[in-house]
Amino acid sequence: MKDQGRSKRKRTGGRLKPSSNKKRYQLGREPAATTVGEPRFQVIDSRGNNEKLRMLSTNVAQVADGAEVTEADIEGVVDNPSNVNYARRNIITKGSIIDTSAGRARVTSRPGQDGQVNAVLVEE
């Protein structure tokens, strides 16, 4: 996800000449890989007059149980369907199952994009 540009080759294998230089909006970055630990953030400049708050590590999550939302401590990552190695490395992404003080929860937010961990309790 670093380049995000057009391929340099045709379907036939022939070379494509670039029609223009790369633009700033085509910029790609390394994934945030949010881990479990002391809260650390990084502010990223995004398109327009906007900023993204990238969460590098965290130990708290907002856990919803029906209509009630409580703040819970994250103890670890149980399962991560996006990558089998992420659970072993305690990396939190959207959809990962985390073990919290309130119980097991599934992450519904994107911590590397919006800087917070929102989760919903799941039945075991």
Side-chain angles (χ1 to χ4, degrees):
M1 284 265 311
K2 261 180 111 172
D3 184 26
Q4 294 184 349
R6 193 177 66 165
S7 174
K8 291 183 192 288
R9 298 278 175 179
K10 299 184 203 176
R11 278 187 307 119
T12 58
R15 189 155 165 77
L16 280 170
K17 297 254 166 124
S19 58
S20 64
N21 292 331
K22 291 176 189 168
K23 305 287 188 254
R24 189 174 181 272
Y25 61 79
Q26 293 173 326
L27 170 74
R29 291 188 176 98
E30 297 290 333
T34 306
T35 57
V36 178
E38 276 301 308
R40 286 186 352 194
F41 299 94
Q42 183 181 19
V43 177
I44 300 268
D45 186 32
S46 66
R47 191 157 191 198
N49 194 18
N50 301 313
E51 290 177 337
K52 284 184 184 179
L53 189 65
R54 185 162 283 190
M55 183 175 273
L56 302 176
S57 65
T58 185
N59 54 10
V60 291
Q62 283 71 38
V63 179
D65 185 15
E68 241 180 82
V69 178
T70 56
E71 196 168 90
D73 292 327
I74 300 174
E75 291 155 11
V77 178
V78 179
D79 182 37
N80 198 322
S82 61
N83 192 328
V84 290
N85 296 314
Y86 281 2
R88 185 171 44 85
R89 293 166 55 196
N90 270 346
I91 291 179
I92 304 168
T93 58
K94 181 177 178 175
S96 59
I97 309 293
I98 56 175
D99 207 6
T100 67
S101 55
R104 286 198 176 174
R106 183 175 44 83
V107 178
T108 58
S109 63
R110 300 174 71 193
Q113 301 279 337
D114 39 62
Q116 60 184 2
V117 176
N118 299 331
V120 177
L121 282 181
V122 292
E123 291 81 27
E124 294 179 40

